[in-house]
Each structure stands twice: as C-alpha cells, then as structure tokens.
C-alpha cells in the first residue's frame, strides 16, 4: 500500500513536469505550424498566432509547385537516409566494438585519435579539395553520405553503451567456444545492444534527413538535391524573383517568403514524426538486457 | 605514461607527414593544370609544366582553334532556376554547332556565398569562366592570383570583345595595372528611393518626403495620426562597399552632401566636384549632427526598438500596411513595383516613391562601376580560348543572348513591340544570373517596365561620371586592422546610426576610440595614399571631368 | 563494475612482455580481425580529418591562389593578430566558455532528470507522445527559431509585451537589454537540445539491468532511493562521455544560435558575442583562409588544453571513465 501511494505521487509529479516541458517545447512548434497556414502579408502584419488569423495554403502551394521535383527530393533523401544509416550503424558499431574490447591493446590510442579529430581540424578548404578534386565526390550521392557516416561522438557513445551492457565474461566465454572476433560482434554483441543501435541509428538518420550543407558544397545537379536543400532552393528562387522584380519593375505576384520558411519546417518534420515512434519502442524500459549475464 | 603520449604524438606526426606529402602532390597538379595558351604569366611560368591544350597557331583576328572538341565549365552565383535543363540542352546544341564544345553551366549557391566562391577557386577544379564582381571582392581575388590576366587573352581570342570593352573599360577593371575581368559596360543605376504612402500623406496633409526635413515631417505626421502604423521599417542592411553593414535609414543623408558616394568605407568623405578633396566624416561635426537626427527619430518612435534584430521583409511589411515608409529601397524598379503591388493588394492604398538621393535632390545620377558585374577566367581554366569565344557569342549573338537571358521565345517569354513579356511558369528572366553579359544592343526591356524606362531616361539626363568607379583598393597592407575595424563598426557604429544609444556624443567618442584602437588611422592613411595615387593618375584621363 | 575483472584478453604476464617487444606487428597478427574491423574508421578519419589537417598550415601563411597551401608566403603569427590585438579576446573567451559551461550543466541536468522521469512514468501513450514532442525542436533550425523568438519578444506586438501592456505594466525592451539574453539564449539552447540528450540518457537507462532494481526493491528501497543509488550512478559513464565531448569544443560556440537569434544587433554584443560570431563578422566580407584557420587553431589549442586537464581529472577520480 505504501509503495503504491508513493508511486501515485511520483507519477503525478512526473506527469506535471513532463507536461510543462512538453508545452515549452511545443508552443513554438504550434506557432510555426499555424504560421505556415497563414496568409503571408497577414502574418507580417498580425504576427504569429496559435490559430491562423487568415487561413491560406499559399505557402504550401509554393513548396509543392513542382510536385515531381519535391517527390524526387523526398525520394533521394529517403534513399540516402536509409543507406547512410545502415552503413553508419555498421561502421560505428564495429568501431565501437573494437574499442570496447579490453584485450585490444591500442584501444585507448585509437580512441584518442578518433576523439582528437573533434578538437583539431584543418578547416574547410583542404577538406573540400580532397573530396571534390581527389575523391571526385562532386555530384554523387557519396558526397552526401560519406562525410556523415561516422562521428567521434557516436563511436564513443557506442563504446560506452557496449561497455555497460556487454559483460566481459560473455566475450571471453565465446572465445573459449572458438568464436572469432567478428562472429562475437555480429552474433552476440549486436543483438544485445538494440537500444544503443536505435539511438545511434536515430541520430544518424536525423543527420542524413536534415542534411543540406554537404549538398550546398558538392551537389550542383538539381535531381541530386537533398530535401532540405531543395526547399532552401525554392526559397532562394522566390527571393530571386523578388529581386529581379525590384530591378526591372516587373509585377511580381505576392510571393510568400516568411510563410514558406514555416511550411518548409512542416514538410521536413512531417515524415520524421512517423519514424520516431517506430524507433521509440526500443527505449521503452523493460527490455531485459542483463538477462544474458552469467 | 610519458612514453605513451610520445607515441601518440609520433602517430599523429606520421599521419600528418603522409597527409602533407599527398597534398604536396596536389599543389603540383594544380599548377600544371593551367592552360598553356597564355604567355602573360610571369610569376608562375617558371614551374608550370607545359601540358594540355595544344599550342594554337595565332592568326590575325579571332584565333580560336576549334579542331578539338572540348568541354567548357562555367560557374555563376545563385541557385539553378527552374527549367534550366532545357536551356542547358539548347545551349549545348548551339555550342556544338558553332564552337565544337559542350558547356557545363553550373550554379553555386550556399548560405555562405563568399566561402563557397573561395573554395571553388582554390579547389583546383577546372573552371573556364566564373562570374566575378565587386560584391564578390573581385579586386581581392585578383590580387591573390585567382584569375588569369585577361586583357591579352581577349585580344587574342576575341578581338571583338576587346574592342567593345575599349581602353576605358579595360582601365576600369585594372587591379595594380592588370585587368582580370571582362567588365560589364551596360549602364545600371543602383538608385535608392524612399517609398511612402501617398494616400496617408494626402489624408493628413503631409509633405512629400523628399528631403531630410520633409521625411521627418512625414514620419512624425504618421506617428501622430496613425497609432497602429509604424512610420517606417528599418533594419541592418548588409553591403559589401560599406564595411559589411549599415543601418538602412542613414540613406537619407545621401541627399545632404555632395560626396562621391556615402558608402565609402572608413568614414572618408570624398567631394564629388573635386575628388582630390577628402576629409574625415566620422570625426566631423556633421557626422555628430546627423547621428543626433537619427537618435531623435528613433526616440520619436519612427522605427521599432527591435530594428537591429528584425529579420522582417521590409517589402512585405509595407505592403501589409504595417509600416508607412521605407527609407532605402534599392533599384529603380522597386518603387514602381511597390506602387503596382500595393494597388493589386488593396485598391484603397496608394504608394508613391521619390528617388531623390541622386536624381532630384542633387540633380545627379551615377551609374554603377563596370566592375560591379563581370566575368573572369580562373587560373584553373583549361580552355580559356573556347570560353572566351563562347562569351563573345553570348554577348553579340542574339540567339545565344536571348536563350541565356530570356529562355525560349514562345515558351518562356513573348516579344511584344520589341519588349519582353514573361510567360508565367516559364524560365525566369535573366535567371541564368549572367548579368554581366547585358549589352545595350541586346537588352530587351520588359513590357511592364514603362515607368522604369521613363525613369531611367530621366535619370540618364542627370548622369555624371562615376569618378571612383575605377578605383580599386588594395587592403592587404592593412588587412588586419581593417578586419578589426569591421567588427567595431557592427558593434558600435550601427547602434549609433539606429539611434539606439543613450548619448550620441559619448557613443561616438567611444566608437572612435574603439576604431582607433582597431587601427582606424592606419587604415585611413593606407586607403588615402592609394586613393590619392589614383586621383593623380586620373588627371590624365580624358573622361575624368565632363 | 568490471574494473575489477582482470584483463584476461591482455594475456599472461610473460605474454605481455613479449608483445611489448614484438610490438605492433605481433598485435596485428594476433588480432587480425579486430584490426580489419577498424579499417572503415581508419579510412574515414584519415580522409575526413587527418589528411585535411595539413590545412592548419594556412594559419601561418598569407594565402594566394598561385601558391596554394605550401607556396604562399609564410607570415608567422600574423594571422593571429586580428584575434590577439582586437582587445576583445578575453571577453570573447569568457563569453564562449561561460555559455558553454552553462549549456553543458543545465542541459545535462535536465536531460538526466527527464530521462529518468520518462523511464519510470506509467502510461505508454503518454510516454510516447511526450517523448516525441520534446524531441521535435531538434529539427528546427535557428533561422526559423529566430522568427518565433522575435514574435514572442518584440517590443511592439510580441506576446510578452502585449501581455505586459494588458496587465498595465511597462513594455520591456528585450532587444535593447543585453543581460536578458544570457537567459534567453540558454532557453533557446535547451529548447532545441534537451530532447536529443534525453534520448541518449533514456537509451542508457534502458540498458540498465532490471536485476539491480529487483534487488533494491527487496531491500525496501523506494523510488527516489532506487534512482539516486542505482540509476544515477550507472548514468555517470554516459555523462562523462557527453561532458568530454562538450568540453573539447568549449571554445566553439553554438554559432547558429548566436548568429541567427541575435543577428547584427551590436547593442547586445557585450553579453552575446562569442568567438565564432566575432570571427564570422570579421571575415564574412572577405573570407580569408589564413585568418579563418588561425581562429580555428586558437579554438583547438584552447580546447585541447582544457580537455587534457579534464581527462586527467576524470582519470584520477575513476580511470575507467577516462576517454584516453
């Protein structure tokens, strides 16, 4: 009985706090959502409201003006995200696994070498030259995948997760049974660390999904544009049309800019809202990992 | 432990050495990739391996050897417009027919254009033609050796362009005596106008805002009578010429002084009638007076307290009826467009604009410098000859020009009485971003442009020579100080311009103190030294004083 | 937990002596597969990070295009002058480090706190929805956030000022008051990043064996005790990792946050200017590779010193948590 009152109080307080945080997080998002459905000039005059002051689909019409291109951008972004995430998970987990192995003599040195890259960098120019001129990644999907395949943060995070959920004895006993290092990784370690894979996979996927910077550097062919960059490009073309109108005095129809920015957010976030709950089930407490222990 | 870290260092050292040696390799190829058709190169010729493009026999007139099929790579700034694929395809058909080459026409677009430009030029990729211009720091790139000296290349491969640009044109593009750009000779007036609400002005019987006093009266009238309307929307404008950025409202002072251009950097005032007369505006009482006016306006609530952080689109704000004026609208067309769009948007509002700064107030207009837009041949070009031949086609051959500038007739635009009329949903006008290729002979005004054309004609009547258009600053001797100064300007000067300071005099003293600490004096002295040398050299130039 | 387990993999003592002598190649042969599994990472970091590191040399040259990286004139420390002689370096360093410290601490505390709450609260639906909501802001760029912040805070029609006026209070001039931005920027940062960090901690909590709690419950521990004695100690390794990564970049500010939200508002700079925004402003008009690299190098060296100190400290407290 005592435990359950305690539980009730704990849950009530938790609910309250989580609701406060959620409200803090969602309020701006609702403004953005409503903004995207507001008439551009009305938005400029009246500002952001939770409910559109004057409903308009203008922004979405602009974003969807060339549905085929948008579909292409969506399509190749999904492709890049899928390929990149899978490759990324393999690379990150493999590296994390090696660095986790206590019998690997150079693990600290390699960890340091990996970590070191977050502190020191040679800057953009030599990196760009290497990738574009020597690796010929310009206008290839590889340019959008390769540079974000791994990150020191994710590798070390993976290593830490593995250290805390894969017992040393387990690896030793497998070795006694004659399994080689790769088999231990693929058959024993990977299945245990699903929450870690879900986390790392999620972060990788978000990185690829949001990617626009690499596109801006390496991609000049429109059909290879990432979703984010495609939308950025739509906005840029509107601004250009406005500028041209300013220079030549052509009548430009009322092209929305502010609301398009907001609609872009919605278009980008939309699919992710569906992805997240899918990944989420791996974080829901109760998966017994320790069970393999011993 | 110590041994361990030593090993770490060694390991790093080793990787670095490998890396360095491989980059060394890159340095060499970069040099050898320069095209060999050019004899002017002095600094680099000693170690450039003679490779690639076969020596072309030089004949009289155009001497481009078309025997080999090549690919010409062009880069321009901006994002790729819609429907560009078909333009590219058509262009390639034309070039295959006439020049035996294909064209790889690329756009570079990035949130950080300057950085991308830098990377493109330093990457060593083949680029045969690249858009260049003052606003992309043409002179600085030229001085750092990014471009080929172009005058002799053009003389050899396109005498037609060479003659068209003429001595004065080439002179204007010269940086330390050498031209690195084919400048644009098409006259463009980058006029600033003041847009205001004519309906409200009539309603409250306010003066037309055509001078500093009248602007103040107009804005005050709006403030007093229209509590829901912000008198004007102002904000921080970024500009290349003015050390990065300035507060837009200070455009109004342009009509007050007889200076060459208020956008001169470092607070130096150059007298228009006698450009050898210069003085220090920032240190003058005039500057203090002007900034006090700004303070008064800000205090009166003419613009928002948030103006410095505002990211609002001034055009939209004014059209939405939230503000009643904009003090610095760039471009002749803007004013026209405002008036039209305002009517379209709400028939009861009426907007007008005055383009006083040059035209009415001072009775003078100056066209932008020819180096505002241009095209250059980077040192990584492989087919400069073909590229220049192509550029000649674009400049002088209607088929090329119309295709690149306007698209395909009947699909993207119609010609009505010799004027351009866009077809909605088609390829945008001048969306190729090759503004530098405009010429008087080829340029087609738009059908909606009547007022604009009329204005341009009127403006042209007041035209005076652009006396500093040919001056190119070499800030390398004081680059560090200049860099520090740019920061000081943003932090201390812009709030003064926006009237967001408690005490103008104290703020100016503080600003000047910070600016001096950053090296203002060295920058000004360095700038003036070069400028005076320029003035002296210009004495010999015939068109100097008209 | 496992620090007590003897390092079996390292082999016996005598074996270790041999391996030290035989060194790298002996190890390579013995752990062929592990080495092979490292190949992707080695290639990745070599290409993406180590090869381009030669570019650090740019910091000491006056770049020109013909000379490129190695043949441009050497100018020593000249490119650093715009930092050291600006007279602002101290202020910028304090701001950058200060903001980062506040970001790291406040974000981690909130993340751990909410990760624990989310892991324990009942109601699957509630859990899922709230998690999704706090994660979403991570997708919003600061450019868009700027528009929202402006909508909330602006003087004329902002939410807060409209509210103040309707309550009969004075308007508050947010965009003219530097100090409030120290708070607002932290809130913006938390808004965007707390969801991300919470996921990391949530995953770590999910990895904790149920057995521990079972045992604790048998011993009569209440929820708070379970959290403070089991969950939090077991989150320490994750926290240390996050900390070490954050500390290494302590001289690198959240450029987008500061630049997009503050923009060119010089009035606020004393409270909001960090090294990254200063460098950007100074170089935006004419991007100079030399000076840009010099600024980056300063950040790197500063970060390296701090991280060495932090890692040393962690090692002293618990060698198992140290990164290297």
């Amino acid at each position: 009985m005592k435990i359950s009152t305690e539980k009730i109080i704990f849950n009530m307080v938790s609910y309250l706090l989580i609701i406060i945080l959620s409200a803090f997080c969602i309020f701006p998002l609702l403004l953005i959502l409503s903004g995207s459905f507001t008439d551009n000039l009305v938005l400029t005059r009246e500002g952001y409201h939770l409910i559109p002051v004057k409903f308009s689909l203008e922004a979405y019409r602009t974003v969807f003006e060339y549905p085929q291109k948008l579909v292409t951008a969506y399509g190749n972004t999904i492709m890049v995200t899928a390929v990149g995430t899978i490759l990324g998970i393999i690379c990150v987990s493999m590296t994390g696994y090696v660095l986790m192995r206590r019998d690997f003599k150079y693990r600290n040195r390699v960890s340091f070498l990996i970590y070191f890259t977050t502190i020191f960098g040679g800057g953009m120019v030599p990196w760009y030259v290497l990738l574009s001129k020597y690796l010929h990644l310009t206008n290839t999907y590889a340019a959008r995948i390769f540079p974000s395949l791994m990150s020191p943060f994710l590798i070390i995070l993976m290593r830490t997760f593995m250290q805390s959920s894969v017992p040393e004895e387990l690896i030793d006993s497998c070795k006694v049974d004659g399994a080689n290092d790769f088999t231990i990784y693929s058959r024993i370690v990977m299945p245990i660390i699903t929450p870690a894979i879900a986390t790392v996979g999620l972060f990788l996927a978000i990185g690829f999904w949001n990617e626009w910077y690499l596109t801006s550097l390496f991609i000049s062919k429109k059909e290879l544009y990432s979703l984010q960059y495609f939308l950025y490009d739509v906005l840029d073309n509107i601004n250009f049309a406005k500028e041209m109108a300013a220079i030549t005095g052509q009548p430009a129809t009322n092209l929305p800019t502010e609301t398009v920015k907001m609609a872009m957010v919605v278009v980008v976030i939309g699919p992710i809202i569906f992805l997240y709950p899918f990944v989420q089930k791996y974080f829901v407490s109760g998966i017994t990992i320790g069970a393999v222990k011993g | 432990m110590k041994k361990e870290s030593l090993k770490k260092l060694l390991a790093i050292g080793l990787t670095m050495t490998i890396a360095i040696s491989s980059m060394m390799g890159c340095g060499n190829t970069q040099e050898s990739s320069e095209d060999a058709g050019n004899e002017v190169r002095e600094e680099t010729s000693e170690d450039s391996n003679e490779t690639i493009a076969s020596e072309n026999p030089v004949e009289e007139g155009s001497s481009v050897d078309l025997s080999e099929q090549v690919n010409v790579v062009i880069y321009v700034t901006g994002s790729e417009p819609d429907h560009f694929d078909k333009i590219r395809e058509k262009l390639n058909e034309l070039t295959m027919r006439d020049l035996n080459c294909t064209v790889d026409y690329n756009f570079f677009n990035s949130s950080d254009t300057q950085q991308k430009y830098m990377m493109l030029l330093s990457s060593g990729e083949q680029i045969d033609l690249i858009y260049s211009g003052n606003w992309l720091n043409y002179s600085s790139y030229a001085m750092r050796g990014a471009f080929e000296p172009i005058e002799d290349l053009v003389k050899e491969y396109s005498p037609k362009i060479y003659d068209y640009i003429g001595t004065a044109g080439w002179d204007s593009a010269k940086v330390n005596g050498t031209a690195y750009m084919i400048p644009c000779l098409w006259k463009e007036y980058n006029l600033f106008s003041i847009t205001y609400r004519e309906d409200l002005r009539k309603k409250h019987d306010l003066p037309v805002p055509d001078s500093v006093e009248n602007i103040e009266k107009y804005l005050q009238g709006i403030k007093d009578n229209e509590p829901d309307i912000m008198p004007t929307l102002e904000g921080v404008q970024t500009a290349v010429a003015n050390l990065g950025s300035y507060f837009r409202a200070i455009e109004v002072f342009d009509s007050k002084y007889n200076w060459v251009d208020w956008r001169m950097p470092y607070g130096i005032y150059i007298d228009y009638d006698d450009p050898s007369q210069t003085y220090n505006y920032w240190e003058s009482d005039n500057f203090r007076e002007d900034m006090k006016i700004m303070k008064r306006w800000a205090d009166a609530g003419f613009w928002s307290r948030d103006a410095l952080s505002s990211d609002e689109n001034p055009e939209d704000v004014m059209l939405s009826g939230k503000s009643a004026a904009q003090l610095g609208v760039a471009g002749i067309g803007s004013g026209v467009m405002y008036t039209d769009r305002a009517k379209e948007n709400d028939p009861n509002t009426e907007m007008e604009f005055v383009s006083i700064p040059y035209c009415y107030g001072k009775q003078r207009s100056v066209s932008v410098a020819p180096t505002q837009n241009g095209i250059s041949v980077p040192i990584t070009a492989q087919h400069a000859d073909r590229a220049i031949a192509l550029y000649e086609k674009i400049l002088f051959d209607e088929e090329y020009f119309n295709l690149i500038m306007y698209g395909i007739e009947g699909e993207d635009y119609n010609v009505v009485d010799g004027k351009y009329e866009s077809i909605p949903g088609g390829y945008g006008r001048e969306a190729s971003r090759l503004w530098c290729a405009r010429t008087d002979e080829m340029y087609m005004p738009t059908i909606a442009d009547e007022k604009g054309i009329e204005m341009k004609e009127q403006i042209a009547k007041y035209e005076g020579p652009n006396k500093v258009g040919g001056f190119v600053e070499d800030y390398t001797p004081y680059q560090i100080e200049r860099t520090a100064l740019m920061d000081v300007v943003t932090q201390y000067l812009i709030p003064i311009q926006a009237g967001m300071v408690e005490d103008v005099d104290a703020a100016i003293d503080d600003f000047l103190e910070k600016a001096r600490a950053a090296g203002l004096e060295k920058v000004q002295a360095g700038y003036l030294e070069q400028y005076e040398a320029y003035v002296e050299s210009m004495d010999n130039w015939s068109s100097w004083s008209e | 937990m496992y620090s007590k387990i003897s390092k079996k993999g390292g082999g016996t003592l005598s074996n270790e002596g041999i391996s030290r002598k035989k060194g790298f190649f002996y190890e390579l042969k013995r752990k062929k597969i592990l080495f092979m599994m490292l190949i992707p990472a080695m290639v990745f970091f070599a290409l993406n990070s180590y090869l381009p590191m030669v570019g650090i040399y740019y910091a000491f040259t006056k770049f020109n295009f013909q000379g490129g990286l190695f043949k441009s004139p050497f100018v020593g420390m000249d490119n650093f002058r715009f930092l050291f002689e600006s007279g602002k370096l101290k202020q910028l360093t304090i701001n950058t480090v200060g903001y980062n410290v506040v970001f790291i601490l406040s974000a981690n505390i909130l993340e751990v706190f909410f990760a624990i709450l989310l892991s324990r609260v009942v109601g699957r639906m509630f859990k899922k929805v709230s998690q999704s909501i706090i994660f979403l802001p991570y997708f919003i760029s600061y450019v868009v956030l700027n528009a929202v912040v402006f909508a909330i805070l602006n003087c004329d029609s902002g939410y807060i000022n409209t509210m103040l006026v309707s309550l009969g209070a004075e308007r508050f001039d947010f965009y003219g008051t530097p100090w409030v931005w120290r708070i607002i920027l932290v809130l913006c940062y938390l808004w965007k990043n707390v969801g991300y960090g919470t996921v990391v901690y949530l995953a770590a909590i999910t990895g904790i064996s149920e057995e521990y709690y079972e045992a604790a419950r048998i011993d009569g521990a209440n929820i708070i005790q379970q959290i403070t004695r089991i969950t939090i100690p077991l989150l320490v390794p994750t926290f240390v990792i996050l900390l070490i990564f954050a500390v290494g970049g302590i001289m690198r500010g959240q450029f987008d946050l500061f630049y997009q939200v503050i923009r060119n508002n010089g009035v606020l700079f004393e409270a909001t200017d960090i090294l990254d925004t200063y460098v950007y402003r100074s170089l935006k008009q004419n991007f100079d590779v030399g000076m840009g690299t010099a600024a980056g190098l300063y950040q790197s060296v500063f970060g390296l010193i701090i991280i060495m100190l932090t890692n040393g400290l962690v090692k002293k407290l618990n060698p198992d948590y140290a990164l290297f």
Side-chain angles (χ1 to χ4, degrees), chain A residues 125-168:
Chain A
V125 177
W127 173 75
Y128 176 80
V129 172
L130 184 73
L131 264 59
S132 65
K133 200 179 163 202
Y134 293 98
L135 302 181
H136 304 290
L137 295 187
T138 322
N139 282 325
T140 61
Y141 285 120
R144 283 171 53 194
I145 296 176
F146 174 70
S148 14
L149 213 47
M150 290 191 222
S151 81
F153 174 71
L154 294 179
I155 291 172
I156 304 296
L157 190 71
M158 187 56 109
R159 187 191 78 163
T160 314
F161 279 145
M162 285 180 172
Q163 276 174 345
S164 53
S165 40
V166 182
E168 189 98 1

Side-chain angles (χ1 to χ4, degrees), chain B residues 19-20 23 44 114 118 137 140 144-146 240 304-306 308-309 475 479-481 483 487 491, chain C residues 51 54 63-66 78 81 88 154-156 173 175 262-263 265 278 281-282 285-286 288-289:
Chain B
I20 289 169
M23 292 304 261
T44 53
Q114 306 281 359
M118 172 82 203
N137 296 305
S140 149
R144 287 185 288 173
V240 174
S304 159
R305 294 290 305 160
D306 314 316
L308 290 177
S309 281
Y475 47 70
Q479 189 177 3
I480 307 277
E481 289 75 12
T483 305
D487 173 63
Q491 179 163 4
Chain C
L51 280 175
V54 279
F63 178 80
N64 70 59
F65 289 89
Q66 270 124 5
D78 222 33
R81 279 174 51 212
K88 290 178 78 175
N154 78 70
C155 213
D156 314 306
D173 181 9
Y175 285 92
I262 302 297
R263 305 194 76 80
N265 192 339
Y278 169 76
R281 256 199 334 274
S282 305
Q285 202 201 344
N286 193 354
D288 183 280
V289 186

